[in-house]
């Protein structure tokens, strides 16, 4: 708009300049006339006035054109700024239009977070129960392991006790066997001694008719009746008894 106004002012200025140039050239092309009683300076003041006004108008036109250019630049900057602000306002309007959806999405997220919190609490409770179950199971496993170790220890001790018992039984059997052999040998020696004494007493009885009385040894008690065993050979006793019959 200001560019067209400036162009019009320049065209008017150029037209006035061309008119003055034609006037000046027309006056110079005509041959000078000599007038009598004519004032040559007539109209000079008017021409000077027009030239001064034209010059002022030209300067004003130049100043107005410069100011118009400045205003045009300012208006252009304002327009660019307005366009930017308009774009920002459009974006803001678009964003504001999506605010209800954002609020709805935020509320949905809050509800989901609440559900997740409940799920987390339930999972934490279940984890605590699982830890208790694991501790109970580990305690039971330790008890079973201790019982198993105790059973192994008991079995080991029973085996050792059985070996000791077998050893003691074997030693007792050996001692009893040795004792029985010793007792048998002692009884056999006593039987031989008593048999010899009996034969001597029997011969003496046959000769004197009296039984010899042997001294009693208190310090050495004789064998008991259970320990005395008679020989199966009773020939001498039978002969003695047969001789005493009438």
């Amino acid at each position: 708009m200001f560019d067209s106004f400036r162009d019009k002012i320049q065209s008017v200025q150029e037209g006035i300049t061309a008119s003055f140039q034609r006037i000046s050239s027309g006056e110079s092309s005509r041959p000078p006339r000599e007038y009598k009683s004519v004032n040559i300076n007539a109209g000079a003041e008017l021409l000077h006035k027009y030239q001064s006004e034209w010059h002022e108008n030209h300067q004003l036109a130049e100043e107005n054109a410069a100011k118009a250019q400045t205003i045009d630049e300012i208006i252009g900057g304002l327009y660019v700024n307005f366009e930017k602000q308009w774009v920002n306002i459009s974006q803001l309007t678009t964003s504001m239009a999506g605010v209800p959806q954002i609020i709805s999405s935020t509320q949905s997220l809050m509800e989901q977070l609440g559900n997740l919190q409940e799920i987390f609490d339930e999972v934490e409770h279940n984890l605590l129960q699982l830890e208790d179950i694991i501790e109970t199971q580990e305690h039971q496993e330790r008890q079973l392991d201790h019982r198993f170790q105790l059973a192994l220890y008991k079995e080991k001790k029973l085996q050792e006790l059985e070996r000791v018992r077998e050893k003691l039984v074997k030693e007792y059997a050996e001692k009893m066997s040795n004792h029985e052999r010793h007792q048998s040998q002692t009884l056999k020696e006593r039987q031989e001694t008593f048999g010899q004494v009996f034969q001597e007493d029997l011969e003496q009885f046959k000769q004197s008719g009296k039984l010899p009385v042997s001294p009693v040894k208190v310090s050495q008690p004789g064998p008991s009746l259970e320990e005395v065993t008679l020989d199966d050979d009773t020939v001498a006793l039978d002969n003695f008894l047969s001789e005493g019959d009438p």
Side-chain angles (χ1 to χ4, degrees):
M1 180 178 67
F2 291 102
D3 291 336
S4 61
F5 180 72
R6 185 179 61 184
D7 293 336
K8 289 180 180 180
I9 293 174
Q10 288 180 355
S11 62
V12 171
Q13 182 181 0
E14 290 176 355
I16 295 171
T17 304
S19 298
F20 280 108
Q21 288 178 355
R22 285 195 300 270
I23 293 171
S24 299
S25 61
E27 290 178 354
S28 59
S29 61
R30 292 178 182 179
R33 294 180 181 180
E34 294 181 359
Y35 296 96
K36 295 180 179 180
S37 301
V38 176
N39 189 4
I40 299 173
N41 294 324
E45 294 180 357
L46 181 61
L47 179 61
H48 179 70
K49 177 181 178 182
Y50 286 144
Q51 287 180 348
S52 298
E53 290 179 356
W54 176 85
H55 182 68
E56 290 177 359
N57 290 329
H58 180 72
Q59 288 182 350
L60 291 174
E62 290 291 335
E63 292 177 359
N64 290 329
K67 291 179 180 179
Q69 182 67 30
T70 304
I71 293 172
D72 183 64
E73 292 177 356
I74 293 172
I75 291 173
L78 291 174
Y79 178 76
V80 172
N81 190 12
F82 172 77
E83 288 292 334
K84 290 182 180 179
Q85 291 183 359
W86 178 257
V87 172
N88 293 330
I89 291 172
S90 299
Q91 293 178 354
L92 180 61
T93 304
T94 305
S95 300
M96 292 297 292
V99 168
Q101 184 177 1
I102 294 173
I103 294 173
S104 177
S105 300
T106 304
Q107 291 178 352
S108 178
L109 288 175
M110 293 298 293
E111 292 177 357
Q112 292 179 1
L113 289 175
N115 295 329
L116 288 175
Q117 182 66 34
E118 293 178 357
I119 293 172
F120 289 157
D121 294 336
E122 184 177 359
V123 170
E124 184 178 3
H125 180 68
N126 293 330
L127 287 175
L128 292 175
Q129 290 183 349
L130 180 61
E131 289 179 357
D132 295 336
I133 293 172
I134 291 173
E135 289 179 357
T136 303
Q137 185 176 1
E138 290 178 352
H139 180 67
Q140 292 177 355
E141 289 178 356
R142 287 194 296 269
Q143 286 183 346
L144 291 175
D145 185 64
H146 291 165
R147 290 179 181 176
F148 180 72
Q149 295 294 332
L150 181 61
L152 292 177
Y153 180 76
K154 183 178 180 180
E155 184 178 358
K156 181 179 178 181
K157 290 300 180 182
L158 288 175
Q159 291 177 357
E160 292 179 356
L161 181 62
E162 184 65 21
R163 287 195 295 269
V164 172
R165 189 183 68 81
E166 291 177 355
K167 182 179 179 181
L168 292 176
V169 169
K170 185 177 180 181
E171 291 178 355
Y172 177 75
E174 291 178 355
K175 289 181 180 180
M176 289 299 296
S177 178
N178 294 330
H179 180 69
E180 288 177 357
R181 285 196 300 270
H182 180 70
Q183 289 292 333
S184 177
Q185 184 69 26
T186 303
L187 290 175
K188 186 176 181 180
E189 291 177 356
R190 287 182 180 181
Q191 287 177 0
E192 291 177 355
T193 302
F194 289 151
Q196 184 178 0
V197 172
F198 179 74
Q199 290 294 333
E200 292 177 356
D201 291 341
L202 183 60
E203 291 296 332
Q204 187 177 359
F205 179 74
K206 287 180 179 181
Q207 294 176 4
S208 61
K210 295 181 181 180
L211 293 173
V213 179
S214 60
V216 179
K217 296 180 180 180
V218 180
S219 60
Q220 294 180 356
S224 62
L225 294 176
E226 292 81 3
E227 295 177 351
V228 176
T229 57
L230 299 176
D231 294 334
D232 294 334
D233 188 8
T234 59
V235 177
L237 181 59
D238 292 338
N239 292 331
F240 174 75
L241 293 176
S242 62
E243 291 178 356
D245 291 337

